[in-house]
Amino acid sequence: MKVAEFLLQSLEANGVRHIFGNPGTTEIPLVRACRDRGLTGLSYVVALSEVAAVPMADAQARTRRALGVVNLHVAPGLGNGMGNLYTAGIAKTPLLVLVGGQDRRFLHTGPILHGPLEQMVRPVVKAVYTLNGTGDVAFHVRQAIRAALTPPTGPVVLICPPDLLEAEIDAVPIEVRPARLSGLDPADAAAFAAFLRDARAPALVAGEDVHWAGASGALRRMAEAIGAPVFSGPYTGMLPIDTASSSHAGYLSPGFAAIGERLRAFDALLFVGFRNFRTTLYSEADLPQRKAWIGHDPSVLAADGEFELARIADLDTSLAAVQRLLEPDARPEGRPAPVRRLPPVGVPDAVADVFHPSRAIDALLRGFRGAIVFDEAGLSTSDVRQFIDSGAGEYLINGSGGIGWALAAAVGGAIACPDRQVVAVVGDGSSLYASEALWTAVNQGARLLVVILSNRRYATLNEAASRLADGPIGLFSLEPPVLDFSGLATLHGMAFERCDSELQLERFLEATAGRVAAPTLLELRFDPSIPPVTAARHF
């Protein structure tokens, strides 16, 4: 068979159902092979840019907890996608990145699009492999898949010269079986149980490894058994515990001072599947508590001081083992009741002729309860986290702190989960980074609602400016001219609704009843002078 067909069959054998890509000349052999083979379970989904294609594949991998695949066009296309490859790396997404190298037969002539692909991408991915000849194809294809799926998971690049994709090889596509972590041995399980049992008020801080290990249920059961809160680390890409859990305590704010204050009441911190505190603005760390860690990533960083106990282990089986040891005396006398959610913030009272962003977010999330939510809502993100009712892994953010990910990612999530309602909540500035992803949503008939929070400002930057400078900066504005998002919807053939009032939003929510019939763009327009009620938590 041809190398291209071997590659496609290998992907299918490893559970891949979609390849997302923005193909060019060097990708024609792969796209043609995908078309000609007529795989019933594998299809090529075209995006209009690499900026959109990478988040689509990233989101498919996150929502399915499986290998995602994106196809990028040689050097310029790889460059276009690298910002979102960085984001996929932060979230530890097992993403196979197929890059179309140039035809090897005329590399010596310096052809157009040729570039140092390995050097370009190596800093932001887990590993890079290049297909050099028919003798190494099977090895490198399997090795790239294995590397992406081996904990700690992450994006891996496979460079595929188009002339080699046309060559014939004699190899059998197989399912790759990556190495798996084992659970804690009895002595280590006992040590973690003692760490929690000896604490007066323990707290858990969870990160992405919980999601990739499928350990959300084990985390919830253990935390609830001992009455400990579970905080999501700042910028954790996938919600690690159900919001319905009595132990869910929300996301920590991305600043050491705020983190220290939030965790002050606890005397022992167990970091679960967590690598480091990703913070935004500088402040001093103050975390004097005893600390322990368990997870997948050996590059873990202790926030302040050292861990007294740290192990690399499978989280699902390890947490269950620790819980069993704690069950006889799970909740000692004197332990405080679990901290649930963030500090309470009520929905503002309705005021005539005022369309309050916090009331809108609360109504939207109630109206689409049960949806998979992709959040890049800017200054309203803390409101989303305050009011959301979501299952573990069903609230997703980029995790890297960049913007321009969520809209395109929601398209990939909707394609991956056609039986679910997917909602993207994005700021008006964020929505412009990869708005071409809307074309793919319509082209694929994705059941997607994109909600654009339109305040005509880069409100997040102005919140930062109020702390770092002398107040809002005029350049951080999106007017004039005022953007007309109805034109964007028309351009891509999407259904469009605009709400300028609470009454209009109520009518939209009543009409949709938690599920849109077609890809829909909903613009909510607010007075920029009215901040979300939780805006102070953003930094």
Side-chain angles (χ1 to χ4, degrees):
M1 69 178 70
K2 288 187 176 182
V3 169
E5 185 173 342
F6 171 80
L7 176 57
L8 293 178
Q9 289 191 35
S10 296
L11 296 178
E12 188 180 42
N14 286 278
V16 176
R17 295 295 174 261
H18 299 93
I19 299 174
F20 295 87
N22 178 236
T25 53
T26 57
E27 288 67 55
I28 287 175
L30 182 65
V31 176
R32 185 179 65 227
C34 199
R35 178 204 67 186
D36 291 349
R37 189 160 186 274
L39 292 173
T40 57
L42 178 62
S43 60
Y44 196 106
V45 178
V46 174
L48 299 186
S49 77
E50 294 85 2
V51 174
V54 175
M56 291 179 192
D58 181 359
Q60 178 155 105
R62 296 196 206 187
T63 53
R64 295 182 62 235
R65 280 200 299 112
L67 182 68
V69 181
V70 64
N71 183 209
L72 303 183
H73 180 46
V74 76
L78 175 60
N80 288 341
M82 279 179 61
N84 282 318
L85 287 182
Y86 166 80
T87 288
I90 292 294
K92 299 183 180 178
T93 302
L95 184 64
L96 181 61
V97 187
L98 305 176
V99 180
Q102 251 307 358
D103 191 315
R104 299 167 301 164
R105 293 170 296 184
F106 72 145
L107 282 180
H108 60 284
T109 69
I112 192 170
L113 302 176
H114 176 55
L117 303 180
E118 293 187 13
Q119 295 94 315
M120 286 172 63
V121 75
R122 195 176 298 280
V124 297
V125 297
K126 182 178 178 181
V128 182
Y129 300 92
T130 299
L131 301 182
N132 296 301
T134 55
D136 69 18
V137 165
F139 173 82
H140 280 144
V141 168
R142 293 166 187 163
Q143 190 68 358
I145 294 171
R146 181 178 292 107
L149 291 172
T150 299
T153 54
V156 171
V157 168
L158 182 65
I159 299 170
C160 307
D163 60 306
L164 183 56
L165 291 177
E166 300 279 31
E168 295 284 336
I169 61 168
D170 183 14
V172 178
I174 61 172
E175 180 184 0
V176 172
R177 296 181 180 178
R180 296 297 184 211
L181 295 172
S182 60
L184 294 170
D185 65 30
D188 284 338
F192 278 98
F195 176 86
L196 294 169
R197 186 186 298 114
D198 294 345
R200 176 188 59 79
L204 283 63
V205 181
E208 282 89 359
D209 289 350
V210 173
H211 177 76
W212 296 120
S216 297
L219 175 66
R220 176 178 180 170
R221 288 188 292 273
M222 189 187 79
E224 290 179 353
I226 63 174
V230 176
F231 296 90
S232 300
Y235 294 108
T236 294
M238 296 76 66
L239 182 69
I241 187 171
D242 295 351
T243 60
S245 169
S246 60
S247 286
H248 168 65
Y251 274 72
L252 293 170
S253 296
F256 276 122
I259 291 168
E261 182 60 31
R262 187 83 173 97
L263 300 178
R264 189 179 305 281
F266 306 99
D267 62 339
L269 305 176
L270 174 58
F271 295 88
V272 183
F274 175 89
R275 183 180 177 274
N276 70 309
F277 282 122
R278 296 195 284 274
T279 53
T280 306
L281 305 181
Y282 175 77
S283 58
E284 294 286 349
D286 182 19
L287 294 169
Q289 298 94 333
R290 299 170 59 215
K291 304 175 191 67
W293 174 86
I294 181 172
H296 297 172
D297 193 341
S299 66
V300 62
L301 301 173
D304 190 13
E306 290 292 325
F307 297 119
E308 65 177 68
L309 178 64
R311 296 292 185 271
I312 295 172
D314 173 67
L315 291 175
D316 193 36
T317 55
S318 295
L319 295 176
V322 173
Q323 180 192 339
R324 286 193 294 272
L325 295 174
L326 290 168
E327 282 176 349
D329 54 350
R331 187 174 286 176
E333 286 296 321
R335 178 163 294 174
V339 175
R340 193 179 192 281
R341 298 186 178 275
L342 293 167
V345 173
V347 179
D349 293 333
V351 177
D353 300 324
V354 173
F355 191 25
H356 198 291
S358 299
R359 289 184 60 84
I361 290 293
D362 177 62
L364 178 72
L365 294 175
R366 283 188 288 105
F368 283 87
R369 182 175 283 112
I372 299 173
V373 176
F374 289 79
D375 176 14
E376 205 169 280
L379 204 57
S380 289
T381 281
S382 293
D383 272 8
V384 176
R385 294 174 182 171
Q386 182 73 38
F387 303 128
I388 196 167
D389 182 6
S390 178
E394 297 187 350
Y395 167 78
L396 303 96
I397 63 173
N398 65 53
S400 69
I403 60 174
W405 177 86
L407 189 154
V411 175
I415 293 171
C417 305
D419 58 332
R420 296 291 301 278
Q421 176 63 64
V422 173
V423 176
V425 186
V426 298
D428 44 8
S430 293
S431 71
L432 303 176
Y433 277 66
S435 59
E436 65 273 20
L438 298 176
W439 179 88
T440 302
V442 176
N443 178 263
Q444 295 290 312
R447 189 181 294 275
L448 174 66
L449 173 64
V450 176
V451 182
I452 296 180
L453 309 180
S454 180
N455 60 10
R456 284 86 63 202
R457 299 289 186 275
Y458 283 112
T460 302
L461 285 178
N462 274 322
E463 177 70 16
S466 69
R467 304 182 186 214
L468 299 177
D470 54 358
I473 297 174
L475 291 174
F476 297 157
S477 174
L478 292 178
E479 60 179 355
V482 175
L483 297 170
D484 183 355
F485 286 100
S486 67
L488 183 64
T490 299
L491 173 66
H492 295 294
M494 291 189 78
F496 177 77
E497 295 284 345
R498 175 183 289 136
C499 298
D500 298 280
S501 70
E502 197 167 314
L503 178 59
Q504 290 175 338
L505 177 58
E506 288 173 358
R507 289 172 176 167
F508 173 83
L509 295 174
E510 183 178 344
T512 52
R515 199 160 177 91
V516 295
T520 301
L521 185 65
L522 171 65
E523 180 186 5
L524 305 182
R525 295 207 299 190
F526 304 114
D527 181 341
S529 68
I530 303 174
V533 292
T534 62
R537 292 184 191 158
H538 195 79
F539 293 112

